[in-house]
C-alpha cells in the first residue's frame, strides 16, 4: 500500500510544541516522561517506526487504570492518557510503507481510543480513522476483484412469531402530530404512542437504505462492543469487542453457531459519523429541557430473537425502527410493585420476570399488571415516556435507533 504518512500529517498538530501534554498530578511523572518520549518519536522522522513499543507501554499502563473498579469511577485523565497512547501507536504504525494488516490494526487502535478514551486534540482519533478508512477503501477498490458468490448463505431472515396484539391493549398510532399536539396528548401526560411518517425522509430509507452490504461497506472494519447471550440478566451473558464485519459473519449470517449476539445500546453514530448522516434527530426532542448535544443516540442491531428484558430508563425515549420488526410491551410506573424489580443496585431498574413466560408461582402479581403492547414496523417511532417499563424482542433481523432526551 502507498504511504499514508502525508495524509496522517494533515490532521496532526504542526509541531511538537503544539502537542501540549498537560495532565493533572494524578498521572505519575514517570508515565508523563514516557508520553514525552513518544511525542519526540512522533516528530522525529527516524524515530516514528520505533514508537509502537513506547506507545504500548502507555496503553498497557493506562489500560490497567481503566479496568480498576467501576467505569463511572475512572478518572477522565486516565482516559486521556489512553487516547494519547492510541494516537502514538497509530502514527507509529503508519510511518513509511504500510501493509493492509497495519492499516487494519491502526483502525482498531483508533476505535479502542474512541471507545475507551476521551477526546484529545480536537477529536484527532476520529480524523485519523477517517483518513485510514479512505486509504483502505481506495486500495481495496484498485486491488480487489469482484467476487461472485452464486450461493452465498443469506443472512437470517426467519421470523420469530409475533404475539397477536389485543386491540384493547394496543399502543395508539398517530401520523405526524404537531409539536403542540404531541406535547399536550402524549408528552405531558406521559402516554406511549407510535409516531408514523416522521422519519420517512431519513437517508437510511432513501439515499442509503440500510442493508448488510451497506453496513459492511461503511462500518465493516470498525471495532464495536457486542453483547453475547440471550439477555443481559443471564449468568452466561458477556461482552466482546469485534469488528462490524465479524459481528455480521458470526451473528447475522450465523456462521459457526455462536449463539446470540447483539450490538446494543452503543453510541455507534458518534463513533462513525458517516452513519449519523443517514438519520435525523426527531423534531419533538426540541420539547425537552436539554440541548441537542445532550441527546444520547444509541444503535440496536441484531438478529431475530434478541431480547431486552423488562426495564426502565431515566430519560424520555424515541425508539425509531429502521430495519425489521420488534414486539414491545410497556408498563407504567404505577405498576412497578407488580413487576418485581431486582433488589440489587446494579439491576434495580430491571424486572425479574420473564415477560412472555412468567413464573406465576414466584411472581403472582405480575399477571395483574396492566400493560400496552405493539409490533414496531420499519418507519415507526415509539415514544417511551421516562421511567416507563418496557420489554423488547426482535422478531427478525433488526436495526433500531434510540434517542434519549431530557
Amino acid at each position: 500500500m502507498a504511504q499514508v504518512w502525508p495524509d496522517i500529517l494533515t490532521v496532526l498538530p504542526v509541531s511538537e510544541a503544539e502537542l501540549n501534554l498537560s495532565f493533572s498530578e494524578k498521572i505519575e511523572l514517570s508515565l508523563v516522561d514516557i508520553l514525552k518520549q513518544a511525542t519526540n518519536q512522533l516528530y522525529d522522522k527516524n524515530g516514528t517506526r520505533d514508537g509502537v513499543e513506547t506507545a504500548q507501554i502507555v496503553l498497557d499502563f493506562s489500560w490497567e487504570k481503566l479496568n480498576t473498579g467501576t467505569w463511572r469511577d475512572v478518572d477522565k485523565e486516565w482516559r486521556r492518557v489512553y487516547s494519547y497512547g492510541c494516537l502514538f501507536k497509530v502514527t507509529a504504525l503508519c510511518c513509511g510503507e504500510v501493509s493492509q494488516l497495519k492499516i487494519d490494526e491502526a483502525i482498531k487502535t483508533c476505535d479502542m481510543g474512541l471507545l475507551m478514551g476521551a477526546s484529545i486534540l480536537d477529536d484527532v482519533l476520529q480524523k485519523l480513522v477517517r483518513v485510514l478508512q479512505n486509504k483502505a477503501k481506495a486500495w481495496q477498490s484498485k486491488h480487489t476483484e469482484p467476487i461472485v458468490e452464486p450461493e452465498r448463505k443469506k443472512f437470517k431472515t426467519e421470523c420469530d412469531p409475533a404475539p397477536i396484539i389485543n386491540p384493547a391493549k394496543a399502543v395508539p398510532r398517530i401520523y405526524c402530530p404537531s409539536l403542540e399536539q404531541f406535547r399536550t396528548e402524549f408528552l405531558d401526560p406521559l402516554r406511549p404512542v407510535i409516531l408514523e411518517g416522521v422519519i420517512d425522509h431519513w437517508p437510511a430509507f432513501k439515499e442509503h437504505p440500510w442493508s448488510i452490504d451497506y453496513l459492511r461497506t461503511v462500518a465493516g472494519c470498525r471495532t464495536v462492543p457486542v453483547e453475547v447471550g440471550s439477555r443481559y440478566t443471564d449468568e452466561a451473558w458477556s461482552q466482546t469487542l469485534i469488528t462490524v464485519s465479524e459481528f455480521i459473519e458470526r451473528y447475522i449470517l450465523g456462521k459457526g453457531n455462536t449463539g446470540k449476539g447483539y450490538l446494543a445500546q452503543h453510541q455507534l453514530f458518534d463513533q462513525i459519523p458517516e452513519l449519523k448522516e443517514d438519520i435525523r434527530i426527531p423534531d419533538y426532542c426540541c420539547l425537552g429541557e436539554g440541548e441537542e448535544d445532550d441527546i444520547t443516540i444509541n444503535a440496536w442491531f441484531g438478529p431475530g430473537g434478541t431480547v431486552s428484558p423488562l426495564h426502565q430508563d431515566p430519560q424520555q425515549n424515541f425508539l425509531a425502527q429502521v430495519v425489521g420488526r420488534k414486539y414491545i410491551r410497556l408498563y407504567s410506573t404505577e405498576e412497578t410493585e407488580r413487576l418485581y424489580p431486582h433488589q440489587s443496585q446494579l439491576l434495580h431498574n430491571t424486572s425479574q420476570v420473564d415477560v412472555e413466560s412468567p413464573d406465576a408461582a414466584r411472581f403472582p402479581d405480575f399477571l395483574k399488571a396492566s400493560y400496552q403492547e405493539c409490533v414496531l414496523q420499519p418507519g415507526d417511532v415509539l415514544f417511551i415516556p421516562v421511567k416507563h417499563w418496557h420489554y423488547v424482542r426482535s422478531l427478525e433481523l433488526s436495526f433500531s435507533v434510540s434517542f434519549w432526551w431530557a
Side-chain angles (χ1 to χ4, degrees), residues 90-344:
V90 168
T91 53
L93 286 168
C94 294
C95 180
E97 290 288 331
V98 295
S99 64
Q100 183 63 49
L101 286 176
K102 280 192 174 182
I103 290 291
D104 289 343
E105 186 178 356
I107 290 174
K108 181 177 180 178
T109 301
C110 283
D111 278 327
M112 291 302 296
L114 292 169
L115 292 170
M116 305 295 292
S119 178
I120 57 170
L121 303 175
D122 194 24
D123 285 331
V124 68
L125 292 178
Q126 191 68 263
K127 295 173 183 176
L128 282 171
V129 79
R130 193 171 294 130
V131 168
L132 294 168
Q133 267 194 286
N134 289 338
K135 280 291 182 182
K137 288 177 182 177
W139 186 88
Q140 289 170 352
S141 65
K142 289 181 180 179
H143 297 85
T144 304
E145 294 293 330
I147 300 175
V148 179
E149 298 179 86
E151 295 189 5
R152 182 184 177 112
K153 184 179 179 182
K154 296 180 179 179
F155 55 84
K156 297 178 181 179
T157 55
E158 65 266 22
C159 303
D160 283 2
I164 298 174
I165 304 299
N166 182 342
K169 298 180 181 295
V171 177
R173 291 175 170 268
I174 187 169
Y175 184 83
C176 289
S178 67
L179 292 174
E180 186 56 34
Q181 183 183 9
F182 174 75
R183 182 205 294 273
T184 303
E185 297 183 15
F186 303 103
L187 179 58
D188 288 346
L190 300 178
R191 290 181 57 217
V193 65
I194 295 172
L195 306 176
E196 298 179 338
V198 300
I199 62 171
D200 295 348
H201 63 290
W202 280 11
F205 292 106
K206 294 185 176 296
E207 292 93 334
H208 307 135
W210 283 1
S211 65
I212 295 300
D213 287 340
Y214 177 73
L215 294 172
R216 258 200 292 228
T217 299
V218 173
C221 63
R222 306 301 296 275
T223 297
V224 293
V226 170
E227 298 182 359
V228 180
S230 297
R231 56 192 76 193
Y232 66 76
T233 50
D234 291 350
E235 289 187 7
W237 180 89
S238 63
Q239 289 181 300
T240 188
L241 290 168
I242 56 177
T243 66
V244 171
S245 287
E246 290 171 326
F247 170 73
I248 289 171
E249 289 294 312
R250 292 184 199 176
Y251 301 110
I252 304 300
L253 298 177
K255 295 186 176 180
N257 296 318
T258 49
K260 293 290 183 189
Y262 198 10
L263 201 170
Q265 196 176 323
H266 175 48
Q267 294 178 34
L268 183 69
F269 307 99
D270 289 338
Q271 183 185 356
I272 307 176
E274 296 91 332
L275 282 178
K276 193 171 186 177
E277 294 173 3
D278 290 342
I279 64 175
R280 302 288 183 268
I281 294 174
D283 292 341
Y284 305 97
C285 290
C286 74
L287 298 173
E289 298 176 353
E291 301 295 328
E292 184 171 303
D293 288 345
D294 298 326
I295 298 170
T296 300
I297 307 175
N298 283 318
W300 308 79
F301 176 37
T306 55
V307 169
S308 292
L310 185 62
H311 69 284
Q312 59 179 185
D313 297 312
Q315 291 184 294
Q316 314 282 12
N317 183 5
F318 284 123
L319 183 63
Q321 192 65 16
V322 182
V323 176
R325 300 171 303 141
K326 284 184 169 177
Y327 170 68
I328 301 175
R329 193 183 290 189
L330 301 126
Y331 296 81
S332 76
T333 55
E334 296 174 355
E335 302 294 341
T336 297
E337 289 188 4
R338 294 174 174 175
L339 304 183
Y340 300 89
H342 282 272
Q343 298 302 305
S344 68

Side-chain angles (χ1 to χ4, degrees), residues 63-91:
W63 182 257
E64 289 297 321
K65 298 292 185 178
L66 296 184
N67 288 277
T68 301
T70 59
W71 179 249
R72 67 170 64 90
D73 295 327
V74 174
D75 194 280
K76 189 176 180 180
E77 287 289 84
W78 284 112
R79 295 178 61 198
R80 290 182 62 236
V81 170
Y82 186 78
S83 291
Y84 274 104
C86 291
L87 167 64
F88 295 136
K89 182 174 181 179
V90 168
T91 53

